[in-house]
Amino acid sequence: MNTFSNRKQCLTLLKQVVLVAPFAAPLFAMASPGSDAIRTLAQDDWVQRSVSLADMGITNPVVLQESDNHQSFFLPVPKGVALDAASINIQGDFIKGEEAAAALRLSVDSRPLHAQRITEREGDLARVLPVEARRHESGFVDFTVDWSSPSGQTLCEPTRQSSNILTLSPDTALTYRYSMQGLHTLADAWSTLPGKPVILIAAGKLEQQSFDSAWRLGVALERNAKRAQVRAFPSVGETVAVDGLKIPTALTSVAPFSALAGKTQHKVANAAELGALLVLDASATRADLAIADTALVGQINAALDALQDQLKNDEDAVKAVQEWRSRHASAAQKVPGSQQIQLVSLGHQAVIAVAADAGAKAAGVFDSHWRNVLVSSEATISQAGESGDASQREMRVSALGGSTTAFDVVTRGEWTAVFPLSAVAVQGRMPGELVLDVAAAPGASSTLPVASVLWNGILLNAKQLSADGQPERLTARVPGYALGVTNNLQVRFQRQPVSPNCAEIPQGYPVNVLPTSYLRSSDAEPDGTFVGLLPLLAGNAQVIVPKTALDNPAANLRQIIRLASAASVSPVNAELTLADSSQVFKPTKPFLSLDVPVDGAKPLIDVKDLQRLRAGGDEKRLLDLTGPQPLSAASVVDSNNQHGVIWYALGDQVLTPRAPFVFNQGNAVVLGEEGPLTWVDSSNPQLSQSMGLSETPFHQWRKYLAWVLPLFAASLLVLLVLGVLARRQKKKQGL
């Protein structure tokens, strides 16, 4: 009986197993290590960001060497997004030459987080300060360094330079992350852009409309103190970097992910590997902005479709990829409509997608004057021009970021406004005259305070103030050579402290840069120099590039963006013209020509046969050089009654200067990888004579003789006619 009963139980159990087996198969599929790993990647929506002092334009070390130093840095962060895992990685060092100890205090958002008494003779400043995980409605994290040293035995002694010196490196950086789900507006997305944002374009030959939008978007970034990078979506057969990939262990044995494991570089074998690169958020597919034309959207979808097809034997892995696509590839869900910009996702990045025809208007709406109105994730732009009224020539200095509140000065104080050139170069005009209204309260000393005005470290004007609390005016011309991509306007106040016999501690008295201060723009005055040409190029200009630039768009776009930014070309108003570089072109507007010869142009520096760098005229050749590469040259020229800049490359390699610069000196320049190498100014009498540009001592008077001689000739002709008429009249009277 027991044997029969056991057999019956076994048969019943076997039936249950057979009946349940079809339902158990999906459960085993759900347990696929590959699908679990892909789902983990899909659920990770953190976006990593870092902003360093160098990204903000502070490229030189910050040296604190006074006896009492207080230095604040305002590091930009998105306003409406909560930061997570945020910290400031401080890099620098100190040297202590004084006998007494120095004091160091580090604060974040006005909260002291580190205080230390420094007794060592030298040391490293490397420290990590936590930043509170919250929203920063101001749009900044305030990082402050206080470095002080004993200055004397008596309190009334003025501050002085100390041999205790602290140096802060430009590599000091704020790192943080935020949830992609917490980013809802285009304005916030723009504020999260890194110092070197990447514009993604389609692989292969680019359509002219997409090419046009890409360079405009890049120049808009450059005008906002960003260093634009252009990257084409990778294609099959291309070699990409994979050394930074974090491949989950479960995927290292799953094709096509397995082909990417354990390498520093990889040659893409098929479209499925491109899909794997997207899922793993490889640097080759990472972007911050994208020209989302039909070609790019199609290439992204083709890569992800190929990945799904290769994983078709693992149904749950396919579902995991689909889940990943819905969360991390919204950029490929549809092509943006005409004149539309969208906030989308691609990999582990929030991406600003720009329609192929929206480049000019996107550049206008992302101007500092308008971008804060982009409080949605999508916008269609019917019209967006540059800010400012064409008839309005004055701009309040307070609009450039300077404070209008008073501050106390004991011995020395500085008022500062930092702004990009694009903020003051609008409507075809450039900064011309600076008018500053300042006021200073009386001090204890009979020596009157001095106010000095500096633009990018160049002294424009200085004045001893009456110091009676009433407004006083300083006026200064803004020379073209003082302009930069990023401009620093300073008003420096200096007082003479007084404390007879150290009977009292010197006190500060208020000074103020008043809100009535303004910057007046000036019209273009073409005089054969870069500076005279910049206002024309900032207006309705023509950018002329070879038609072949569409074949290798990424490299050529980087070059166009950097040169157009250097020439202050407007990304909103300029016109892109594709020309045959083997034919002479006749421009119809002020122009920037890149490797396209223009009719009648005689550049001071040119390139012959892509190999020879030449300077001077044919009769008096100053330089004829073969060998150094890669170099390029730009010169001011005239063509078809239009003024412009022509640029030629030396060598086959497309050269893009790393550092931003402005054409603000002379009328010709030789460029290298680091930027301008040498400027040529033909108005220099010695140089112009050696180059055959002047043959008489009257060369410097050519501007005036150009209109004085015709006027003199006309006056002489009038006098002769009057003389003849008078003589005839006398003859008639004599008869």
Side-chain angles (χ1 to χ4, degrees):
M1 288 293 293
N2 290 338
T3 303
F4 178 76
S5 177
N6 290 339
R7 288 179 178 176
K8 188 175 181 180
Q9 290 177 357
C10 289
L11 288 172
T12 303
L13 181 62
L14 182 61
K15 289 179 181 179
Q16 291 175 347
V17 170
V18 171
L19 290 172
V20 173
F23 301 98
L27 294 177
F28 287 113
M30 289 183 66
S32 163
S35 63
D36 287 345
I38 295 173
R39 280 196 171 87
T40 300
L41 292 173
Q43 292 166 2
D44 180 10
D45 70 344
W46 292 110
V47 179
Q48 302 288 338
R49 280 288 185 260
S50 175
V51 55
S52 67
L53 297 184
D55 292 334
M56 298 168 56
I58 305 174
T59 55
N60 294 320
V62 178
V63 180
L64 305 181
Q65 56 187 355
E66 301 293 329
S67 57
D68 191 13
N69 303 270
H70 178 86
Q71 183 72 56
S72 292
F73 303 93
F74 294 90
L75 307 170
V77 294
K79 289 183 179 180
V81 181
L83 306 186
D84 186 79
S87 62
I88 298 176
N89 185 5
I90 303 171
Q91 299 293 325
D93 53 56
F94 62 84
I95 301 173
K96 192 179 80 68
E98 303 279 353
E99 288 297 328
L104 171 66
R105 186 175 68 174
L106 304 172
S107 305
V108 176
D109 291 331
S110 301
R111 292 179 55 197
L113 296 182
H114 179 86
Q116 183 179 356
R117 184 172 179 267
I118 304 294
T119 57
E120 298 87 353
R121 286 297 179 185
E122 59 183 35
D124 194 351
L125 199 62
R127 285 166 179 79
V128 177
L129 299 181
V131 177
E132 190 176 355
R134 61 177 177 85
R135 286 183 172 87
H136 288 70
E137 299 301 335
S138 65
F140 297 97
V141 170
D142 179 5
F143 167 51
T144 302
V145 180
D146 289 287
W147 172 259
S148 58
S149 305
S151 59
Q153 299 298 317
T154 52
L155 292 175
C156 66
E157 289 187 9
T159 58
R160 58 176 176 81
Q161 284 194 346
S162 168
S163 57
N164 291 348
I165 302 171
L166 183 143
T167 303
L168 198 64
S169 169
D171 294 329
T172 297
L174 165 68
T175 59
Y176 63 93
R177 66 178 187 175
Y178 63 88
S179 171
M180 198 182 303
Q181 302 300 319
L183 194 66
H184 303 294
T185 72
L186 287 161
D188 283 341
W190 183 274
S191 68
T192 67
L193 291 176
K196 296 180 179 180
V198 174
I199 303 172
L200 187 66
I201 59 174
K205 185 175 181 178
L206 205 60
E207 294 293 329
Q208 180 175 346
Q209 197 174 51
S210 299
F211 189 93
D212 187 40
S213 287
W215 83 263
R216 294 178 190 275
L217 194 59
V219 173
L221 289 167
E222 296 271 329
R223 287 161 69 100
N224 284 275
K226 305 288 185 182
R227 303 284 77 83
Q229 314 294 310
V230 181
R231 179 179 297 152
F233 189 77
S235 56
V236 175
E238 184 178 340
T239 300
V240 298
V242 293
D243 53 339
L245 284 184
K246 296 180 180 179
I247 305 177
T249 305
L251 293 177
T252 55
S253 59
V254 178
F257 299 96
S258 57
L260 308 175
K263 298 179 180 179
T264 57
Q265 289 187 325
H266 175 72
K267 185 175 182 179
V268 180
N270 51 58
E273 291 182 358
L274 291 176
L277 290 171
L278 279 167
V279 171
L280 296 172
D281 195 36
S283 59
T285 61
R286 196 177 301 153
D288 303 291
L289 306 100
I291 304 301
D293 55 10
T294 304
L296 179 60
V297 172
Q299 290 167 9
I300 295 172
N301 278 321
L304 294 173
D305 289 343
L307 175 62
Q308 288 183 202
D309 186 62
Q310 189 156 347
L311 296 173
K312 61 185 178 183
N313 293 331
D314 187 344
E315 293 183 6
D316 200 60
V318 172
K319 292 180 181 178
V321 172
Q322 291 172 345
E323 181 182 333
W324 183 93
R325 291 179 75 163
S326 66
R327 294 171 63 96
H328 293 278
S330 62
Q333 291 178 1
K334 65 176 182 177
V335 178
S338 177
Q339 305 296 340
Q340 196 172 70
I341 53 177
Q342 298 176 346
L343 176 59
V344 298
S345 61
L346 184 62
H348 288 277
Q349 301 292 321
V351 175
I352 298 174
V354 178
D357 63 348
K361 292 177 181 177
V365 80
F366 281 124
D367 181 80
S368 59
H369 191 77
W370 299 117
R371 77 172 72 111
N372 288 334
V373 305
L374 297 173
V375 293
S376 63
S377 61
E378 183 177 299
T380 301
I381 315 167
S382 300
Q383 183 63 40
E386 289 184 319
S387 60
D389 185 356
S391 62
Q392 185 68 31
R393 291 179 173 270
E394 288 79 27
M395 176 182 292
R396 294 294 181 188
V397 171
S398 57
L400 302 176
S403 172
T404 57
T405 58
F407 57 96
D408 292 343
V409 173
V410 179
T411 57
R412 171 174 162 169
E414 291 183 355
W415 175 95
T416 303
V418 180
F419 49 90
L421 182 60
S422 61
V424 292
V426 294
Q427 301 296 338
R429 293 195 291 265
M430 300 294 284
E433 185 180 43
L434 182 63
V435 180
L436 290 173
D437 292 329
V438 300
S445 172
S446 60
T447 303
L448 297 176
V450 174
S452 305
V453 182
L454 299 96
W455 188 298
N456 286 338
I458 296 174
L459 181 64
L460 302 185
N461 196 1
K463 179 180 180 180
Q464 194 168 38
L465 303 178
S466 300
D468 56 2
Q470 298 301 312
E472 301 181 60
R473 176 159 289 187
L474 286 85
T475 303
R477 185 182 70 86
V478 182
Y481 58 78
L483 301 177
V485 176
T486 301
N487 295 272
N488 188 335
L489 173 61
Q490 285 183 318
V491 181
R492 186 175 297 166
F493 296 93
Q494 290 174 284
R495 288 183 181 273
Q496 183 65 43
V498 62
S499 179
N501 300 318
C502 287
E504 57 186 31
I505 299 174
Q507 298 294 321
Y509 296 88
V511 296
N512 199 179
V513 176
L514 301 174
T516 53
S517 303
Y518 62 89
L519 180 66
R520 180 183 289 120
S521 60
S522 62
D523 290 325
E525 295 181 5
D527 57 358
T529 67
F530 285 124
V531 171
L533 189 59
L534 289 182
L536 287 176
L537 295 176
N540 190 13
Q542 199 169 14
V543 178
I544 309 165
V545 299
K547 294 179 180 179
T548 54
L550 301 180
D551 299 330
N552 184 20
N556 285 287
L557 280 168
R558 288 192 289 267
Q559 182 67 71
I560 295 169
I561 289 168
R562 188 54 48 84
L563 290 173
S565 176
S568 296
V569 172
S570 167
V572 178
N573 299 323
E575 170 193 333
L576 177 69
T577 301
L578 297 179
D580 185 351
S581 58
S582 63
Q583 302 292 326
V584 174
F585 184 81
K586 291 185 177 182
T588 57
K589 301 176 181 178
F591 61 91
L592 170 65
S593 177
L594 285 78
D595 262 337
V596 176
V598 292
D599 184 48
K602 296 180 180 179
L604 290 179
I605 303 177
D606 66 353
V607 174
K608 180 71 172 178
D609 301 326
L610 292 177
Q611 301 295 327
R612 295 164 57 191
L613 183 69
R614 306 185 305 176
D618 292 331
E619 296 180 359
K620 290 190 177 181
R621 182 69 64 192
L622 190 64
L623 178 70
D624 194 334
L625 184 65
T626 303
Q629 292 186 19
L631 294 176
S632 63
S635 298
V636 176
V637 295
D638 289 337
S639 175
N640 197 33
N641 296 321
Q642 300 293 336
H643 307 286
V645 174
I646 191 167
W647 173 89
Y648 287 112
L650 179 65
D652 298 324
Q653 181 180 349
V654 179
L655 170 69
T656 303
R658 295 191 186 98
F661 66 98
V662 175
F663 289 127
N664 62 355
Q665 299 181 45
N667 48 4
V669 62
V670 178
L671 302 171
E673 289 183 319
E674 300 301 325
L677 298 178
T678 183
W679 297 89
V680 177
D681 185 356
S682 64
S683 64
N684 182 327
Q686 293 181 347
L687 180 62
S688 60
Q689 195 168 15
S690 64
M691 296 180 73
L693 300 174
S694 61
E695 301 298 338
T696 73
F698 296 103
H699 174 67
Q700 289 299 304
W701 295 90
R702 65 194 185 283
K703 282 176 58 178
Y704 307 101
L705 293 176
W707 59 269
V708 170
L709 287 177
L711 182 62
F712 176 75
S715 302
L716 184 60
L717 180 61
V718 170
L719 290 174
L720 288 173
V721 171
L722 291 176
V724 170
L725 292 176
R727 190 171 182 179
R728 288 181 178 178
Q729 186 67 24
K730 286 183 178 180
K731 286 183 178 180
K732 289 181 180 180
Q733 291 176 354
L735 292 174

